Amino acid sequence: MAKRSKSVPLSQPAPQVQDFRSLLAQALDQKDSLGRKWGGARWGCYAFYDYDREPIYVGQTNERLSTRVRRHLTNQRSDAVAMRILDVFEVAEMELWPLWEYEGLSQKTSAKSELEAAKARLNSVEYSAYLRAINRSRFHAILNEQIPPVSPVIELPPSQRFALISEETRKERGHLDIRLARRTETLARLSAVAHERGEVSIGLRRVMVVQAVRVAHLAAARLAAVEGRGAPPASLIDISALVGTVLQEHQEEFPDEEAD
């Protein structure tokens, strides 16, 4: 029997995973002009972007930005559904909106009115970031299972956007065939969840449609590239005709296991 090499631990992540996590750590630890780590804020919102710099997900947290982002991007989510909705290998960039003004708030010592005001502000930032993502998406829809609570639209606070993949990784994993295979696999996993559970959220079924649209457009773009044609315009797809409104949540028949 051949001996295992001692120089490469079997538990060590693949090189591309190591690079991704290294760039993620660097981004979260990067400091703003006041010396604060961008990922260090307890309250804030975040967005993820794919290889086309297309917004694909928006969320909020009051447990710390770095903690919540890592839960998404290092497969530490506790719910299997969320792990299948967002494919980490599709995430190429992220954007952070820290709300530093609420650092001193505490569930134990702060007044209820202060906490409620902070939560309302957080909801407004998330909903505003969500609407911006919808407007900037070529399909006018992203992969949020739960649409953020409808809130007053405000001017977003200062943010920072970070690259989470190297140029080498972008060239390798950015190939349309690789992305199409990953995206199709993600859709298949989501469909399996819906089949196995039977009762799933309306949001999950909406995400399945949005992901199917993303698969179809990517497959068409690949065909066009092979044939020497330009990629078909995303405007050919009427997302509202397929899923209805994406500006507010439908009445949930089966509540999500874990709201984001």
Side-chain angles (χ1 to χ4, degrees):
M1 180 181 295
K3 293 184 178 180
R4 293 174 177 172
S5 173
K6 295 182 179 180
S7 60
V8 182
L10 294 180
S11 60
Q12 187 172 356
Q16 288 184 343
V17 175
Q18 293 182 57
D19 289 344
F20 179 86
R21 294 184 178 180
S22 175
L23 287 171
L24 174 61
Q26 291 176 38
L28 294 172
D29 287 343
Q30 186 172 315
K31 296 180 180 180
D32 65 11
S33 59
L34 297 179
R36 303 170 299 195
K37 292 183 179 180
W38 282 96
R42 183 170 298 278
W43 296 68
C45 294
Y46 53 92
F48 300 137
Y49 301 83
D50 69 10
Y51 280 65
D52 297 318
R53 296 179 170 84
E54 173 90 4
I56 54 176
Y57 194 89
V58 169
Q60 64 155 267
T61 185
N62 59 9
E63 64 174 339
R64 198 167 300 283
L65 276 170
S66 59
T67 300
R68 178 55 65 90
V69 165
R70 282 195 173 100
R71 286 177 62 199
H72 280 293
L73 301 183
T74 59
N75 282 337
Q76 296 175 5
R77 294 300 302 268
S78 60
D79 54 317
V81 172
M83 290 173 60
R84 287 168 172 80
I85 286 176
L86 184 69
D87 179 12
V88 174
F89 277 59
E90 277 266 270
V91 178
E93 301 176 23
M94 75 173 177
E95 187 169 6
L96 303 179
W97 291 270
L99 300 181
W100 296 109
E101 61 267 35
Y102 301 123
E103 285 301 286
L105 288 185
S106 168
Q107 295 286 347
K108 294 182 179 180
T109 61
S110 298
K112 182 179 178 180
S113 59
E114 290 181 308
L115 292 170
E116 289 177 345
K119 182 62 176 177
R121 166 74 172 172
L122 184 63
N123 285 343
S124 283
V125 173
E126 182 188 25
Y127 191 63
S128 300
Y130 174 82
L131 291 184
R132 192 188 75 161
I134 292 294
N135 289 333
R136 294 184 177 183
S137 164
R138 69 181 70 181
F139 307 113
H140 300 295
I142 60 176
L143 298 175
N144 280 56
E145 180 185 3
Q146 184 174 358
I147 297 172
V150 176
S151 304
V153 179
I154 60 174
E155 181 179 351
L156 288 169
S159 68
Q160 183 69 24
R161 191 157 163 172
F162 305 90
L164 299 179
I165 58 171
S166 65
E167 284 305 311
E168 180 181 356
T169 298
R170 180 180 288 278
K171 290 179 181 178
E172 181 177 339
R173 291 209 312 235
H175 191 283
L176 291 183
D177 283 340
I178 295 176
R179 296 180 61 203
L180 185 59
R182 293 287 312 191
R183 201 171 285 182
T184 304
E185 182 182 359
T186 299
L187 178 58
R189 291 200 304 263
L190 279 177
S191 301
V193 168
H195 164 65
E196 292 162 5
R197 296 194 176 186
E199 298 180 355
V200 295
S201 70
I202 293 173
L204 177 63
R205 296 195 180 277
R206 179 179 59 244
V207 167
M208 288 171 59
V209 177
V210 175
Q211 192 66 274
V213 165
R214 287 163 54 80
V215 168
H217 188 267
L218 196 61
R222 182 61 174 132
L223 173 62
V226 170
E227 295 180 339
R229 298 182 288 108
S235 59
L236 292 174
I237 301 172
D238 185 349
I239 197 70
S240 62
L242 295 174
V243 302
T245 182
V246 294
L247 302 182
Q248 62 183 33
E249 196 59 79
H250 296 268
Q251 182 64 38
E252 283 285 2
E253 189 174 352
F254 304 108
D256 295 331
E257 293 181 357
E258 179 179 338
D260 201 18

PDB file of all heavy atoms in Angstrom, residues 28-41 98 100 103:
ATOM      1  N   LEU A  28     -12.674  41.488   5.517  1.00  0.00           N
ATOM      2  CA  LEU A  28     -13.364  41.752   6.780  1.00  0.00           C
ATOM      3  C   LEU A  28     -12.466  42.509   7.761  1.00  0.00           C
ATOM      4  O   LEU A  28     -12.964  43.267   8.604  1.00  0.00           O
ATOM      5  CB  LEU A  28     -13.834  40.440   7.404  1.00  0.00           C
ATOM      6  CG  LEU A  28     -14.921  39.692   6.616  1.00  0.00           C
ATOM      7  CD1 LEU A  28     -15.170  38.319   7.224  1.00  0.00           C
ATOM      8  CD2 LEU A  28     -16.224  40.497   6.586  1.00  0.00           C
ATOM      9  N   ASP A  29     -11.150  42.314   7.644  1.00  0.00           N
ATOM     10  CA  ASP A  29     -10.210  42.971   8.552  1.00  0.00           C
ATOM     11  C   ASP A  29      -9.720  44.315   8.025  1.00  0.00           C
ATOM     12  O   ASP A  29      -9.037  45.053   8.747  1.00  0.00           O
ATOM     13  CB  ASP A  29      -8.987  42.068   8.801  1.00  0.00           C
ATOM     14  CG  ASP A  29      -9.318  40.888   9.697  1.00  0.00           C
ATOM     15  OD1 ASP A  29     -10.362  40.927  10.386  1.00  0.00           O
ATOM     16  OD2 ASP A  29      -8.545  39.905   9.697  1.00  0.00           O
ATOM     17  N   GLN A  30     -10.035  44.631   6.782  1.00  0.00           N
ATOM     18  CA  GLN A  30      -9.586  45.913   6.222  1.00  0.00           C
ATOM     19  C   GLN A  30     -10.215  47.061   6.997  1.00  0.00           C
ATOM     20  O   GLN A  30     -11.377  47.007   7.390  1.00  0.00           O
ATOM     21  CB  GLN A  30      -9.971  46.006   4.741  1.00  0.00           C
ATOM     22  CG  GLN A  30      -9.417  47.238   4.045  1.00  0.00           C
ATOM     23  CD  GLN A  30      -9.646  47.198   2.552  1.00  0.00           C
ATOM     24  OE1 GLN A  30      -9.420  46.174   1.923  1.00  0.00           O
ATOM     25  NE2 GLN A  30     -10.096  48.296   1.968  1.00  0.00           N
ATOM     26  N   LYS A  31      -9.449  48.124   7.209  1.00  0.00           N
ATOM     27  CA  LYS A  31      -9.898  49.236   8.045  1.00  0.00           C
ATOM     28  C   LYS A  31     -10.304  50.443   7.208  1.00  0.00           C
ATOM     29  O   LYS A  31      -9.761  50.688   6.131  1.00  0.00           O
ATOM     30  CB  LYS A  31      -8.798  49.621   9.029  1.00  0.00           C
ATOM     31  CG  LYS A  31      -8.467  48.515  10.029  1.00  0.00           C
ATOM     32  CD  LYS A  31      -7.372  48.938  10.986  1.00  0.00           C
ATOM     33  CE  LYS A  31      -7.062  47.813  11.975  1.00  0.00           C
ATOM     34  NZ  LYS A  31      -5.994  48.194  12.927  1.00  0.00           N
ATOM     35  N   ASP A  32     -11.281  51.182   7.734  1.00  0.00           N
ATOM     36  CA  ASP A  32     -11.711  52.410   7.066  1.00  0.00           C
ATOM     37  C   ASP A  32     -10.806  53.564   7.495  1.00  0.00           C
ATOM     38  O   ASP A  32      -9.802  53.366   8.185  1.00  0.00           O
ATOM     39  CB  ASP A  32     -13.190  52.696   7.354  1.00  0.00           C
ATOM     40  CG  ASP A  32     -13.468  52.987   8.832  1.00  0.00           C
ATOM     41  OD1 ASP A  32     -12.493  53.172   9.618  1.00  0.00           O
ATOM     42  OD2 ASP A  32     -14.645  53.040   9.211  1.00  0.00           O
ATOM     43  N   SER A  33     -11.169  54.769   7.112  1.00  0.00           N
ATOM     44  CA  SER A  33     -10.314  55.928   7.387  1.00  0.00           C
ATOM     45  C   SER A  33     -10.202  56.244   8.873  1.00  0.00           C
ATOM     46  O   SER A  33      -9.302  56.972   9.290  1.00  0.00           O
ATOM     47  CB  SER A  33     -10.856  57.160   6.643  1.00  0.00           C
ATOM     48  OG  SER A  33     -12.190  57.443   7.064  1.00  0.00           O
ATOM     49  N   LEU A  34     -11.119  55.686   9.665  1.00  0.00           N
ATOM     50  CA  LEU A  34     -11.087  55.915  11.114  1.00  0.00           C
ATOM     51  C   LEU A  34     -10.479  54.735  11.874  1.00  0.00           C
ATOM     52  O   LEU A  34     -10.536  54.686  13.098  1.00  0.00           O
ATOM     53  CB  LEU A  34     -12.501  56.189  11.629  1.00  0.00           C
ATOM     54  CG  LEU A  34     -13.179  57.448  11.092  1.00  0.00           C
ATOM     55  CD1 LEU A  34     -14.591  57.587  11.661  1.00  0.00           C
ATOM     56  CD2 LEU A  34     -12.345  58.691  11.419  1.00  0.00           C
ATOM     57  N   GLY A  35      -9.928  53.779  11.134  1.00  0.00           N
ATOM     58  CA  GLY A  35      -9.269  52.642  11.771  1.00  0.00           C
ATOM     59  C   GLY A  35     -10.213  51.534  12.216  1.00  0.00           C
ATOM     60  O   GLY A  35      -9.803  50.649  12.969  1.00  0.00           O
ATOM     61  N   ARG A  36     -11.448  51.557  11.742  1.00  0.00           N
ATOM     62  CA  ARG A  36     -12.417  50.523  12.119  1.00  0.00           C
ATOM     63  C   ARG A  36     -12.447  49.428  11.060  1.00  0.00           C
ATOM     64  O   ARG A  36     -12.455  49.726   9.862  1.00  0.00           O
ATOM     65  CB  ARG A  36     -13.815  51.130  12.267  1.00  0.00           C
ATOM     66  CG  ARG A  36     -13.877  52.262  13.286  1.00  0.00           C
ATOM     67  CD  ARG A  36     -15.212  53.005  13.223  1.00  0.00           C
ATOM     68  NE  ARG A  36     -15.457  53.626  11.918  1.00  0.00           N
ATOM     69  CZ  ARG A  36     -16.384  54.551  11.690  1.00  0.00           C
ATOM     70  NH1 ARG A  36     -17.170  54.957  12.689  1.00  0.00           N
ATOM     71  NH2 ARG A  36     -16.543  55.071  10.480  1.00  0.00           N
ATOM     72  N   LYS A  37     -12.479  48.174  11.492  1.00  0.00           N
ATOM     73  CA  LYS A  37     -12.573  47.067  10.542  1.00  0.00           C
ATOM     74  C   LYS A  37     -13.955  47.057   9.905  1.00  0.00           C
ATOM     75  O   LYS A  37     -14.963  47.134  10.609  1.00  0.00           O
ATOM     76  CB  LYS A  37     -12.319  45.742  11.244  1.00  0.00           C
ATOM     77  CG  LYS A  37     -10.897  45.550  11.741  1.00  0.00           C
ATOM     78  CD  LYS A  37     -10.716  44.178  12.367  1.00  0.00           C
ATOM     79  CE  LYS A  37      -9.278  43.991  12.850  1.00  0.00           C
ATOM     80  NZ  LYS A  37      -9.075  42.652  13.460  1.00  0.00           N
ATOM     81  N   TRP A  38     -13.987  46.933   8.593  1.00  0.00           N
ATOM     82  CA  TRP A  38     -15.271  46.955   7.886  1.00  0.00           C
ATOM     83  C   TRP A  38     -16.186  45.830   8.357  1.00  0.00           C
ATOM     84  O   TRP A  38     -17.401  45.998   8.430  1.00  0.00           O
ATOM     85  CB  TRP A  38     -15.049  46.849   6.373  1.00  0.00           C
ATOM     86  CG  TRP A  38     -14.618  48.142   5.766  1.00  0.00           C
ATOM     87  CD1 TRP A  38     -13.343  48.551   5.502  1.00  0.00           C
ATOM     88  CD2 TRP A  38     -15.473  49.221   5.378  1.00  0.00           C
ATOM     89  NE1 TRP A  38     -13.337  49.818   4.968  1.00  0.00           N
ATOM     90  CE2 TRP A  38     -14.641  50.250   4.867  1.00  0.00           C
ATOM     91  CE3 TRP A  38     -16.856  49.425   5.384  1.00  0.00           C
ATOM     92  CZ2 TRP A  38     -15.148  51.452   4.388  1.00  0.00           C
ATOM     93  CZ3 TRP A  38     -17.365  50.630   4.894  1.00  0.00           C
ATOM     94  CH2 TRP A  38     -16.523  51.619   4.419  1.00  0.00           C
ATOM     95  N   GLY A  39     -15.619  44.696   8.684  1.00  0.00           N
ATOM     96  CA  GLY A  39     -16.440  43.578   9.149  1.00  0.00           C
ATOM     97  C   GLY A  39     -16.679  43.580  10.644  1.00  0.00           C
ATOM     98  O   GLY A  39     -17.333  42.680  11.174  1.00  0.00           O
ATOM     99  N   GLY A  40     -16.159  44.586  11.347  1.00  0.00           N
ATOM    100  CA  GLY A  40     -16.244  44.599  12.798  1.00  0.00           C
ATOM    101  C   GLY A  40     -17.521  45.186  13.360  1.00  0.00           C
ATOM    102  O   GLY A  40     -17.789  45.066  14.555  1.00  0.00           O
ATOM    103  N   ALA A  41     -18.329  45.838  12.518  1.00  0.00           N
ATOM    104  CA  ALA A  41     -19.562  46.457  13.009  1.00  0.00           C
ATOM    105  C   ALA A  41     -20.567  45.390  13.425  1.00  0.00           C
ATOM    106  O   ALA A  41     -20.749  44.380  12.743  1.00  0.00           O
ATOM    107  CB  ALA A  41     -20.179  47.344  11.925  1.00  0.00           C
ATOM    108  N   PRO A  98     -21.670  49.020   7.145  1.00  0.00           N
ATOM    109  CA  PRO A  98     -21.698  48.993   8.609  1.00  0.00           C
ATOM    110  C   PRO A  98     -22.474  50.174   9.178  1.00  0.00           C
ATOM    111  O   PRO A  98     -22.419  51.281   8.632  1.00  0.00           O
ATOM    112  CB  PRO A  98     -20.215  49.073   8.990  1.00  0.00           C
ATOM    113  CG  PRO A  98     -19.555  49.747   7.838  1.00  0.00           C
ATOM    114  CD  PRO A  98     -20.349  49.383   6.606  1.00  0.00           C
ATOM    115  N   TRP A 100     -22.199  52.015  12.278  1.00  0.00           N
ATOM    116  CA  TRP A 100     -21.360  52.195  13.465  1.00  0.00           C
ATOM    117  C   TRP A 100     -22.089  52.898  14.604  1.00  0.00           C
ATOM    118  O   TRP A 100     -21.711  52.765  15.768  1.00  0.00           O
ATOM    119  CB  TRP A 100     -20.115  52.995  13.084  1.00  0.00           C
ATOM    120  CG  TRP A 100     -19.229  52.299  12.110  1.00  0.00           C
ATOM    121  CD1 TRP A 100     -19.031  52.611  10.797  1.00  0.00           C
ATOM    122  CD2 TRP A 100     -18.415  51.147  12.368  1.00  0.00           C
ATOM    123  NE1 TRP A 100     -18.148  51.747  10.210  1.00  0.00           N
ATOM    124  CE2 TRP A 100     -17.747  50.827  11.152  1.00  0.00           C
ATOM    125  CE3 TRP A 100     -18.183  50.359  13.486  1.00  0.00           C
ATOM    126  CZ2 TRP A 100     -16.871  49.758  11.044  1.00  0.00           C
ATOM    127  CZ3 TRP A 100     -17.316  49.289  13.381  1.00  0.00           C
ATOM    128  CH2 TRP A 100     -16.661  48.991  12.178  1.00  0.00           C
ATOM    129  N   GLU A 103     -23.132  50.734  17.777  1.00  0.00           N
ATOM    130  CA  GLU A 103     -22.184  49.839  18.442  1.00  0.00           C
ATOM    131  C   GLU A 103     -22.443  49.724  19.938  1.00  0.00           C
ATOM    132  O   GLU A 103     -22.196  48.686  20.530  1.00  0.00           O
ATOM    133  CB  GLU A 103     -20.745  50.318  18.205  1.00  0.00           C
ATOM    134  CG  GLU A 103     -20.222  50.029  16.813  1.00  0.00           C
ATOM    135  CD  GLU A 103     -20.232  48.543  16.489  1.00  0.00           C
ATOM    136  OE1 GLU A 103     -19.389  47.802  17.012  1.00  0.00           O
ATOM    137  OE2 GLU A 103     -21.099  48.117  15.704  1.00  0.00           O
TER     138      GLU A 103
END
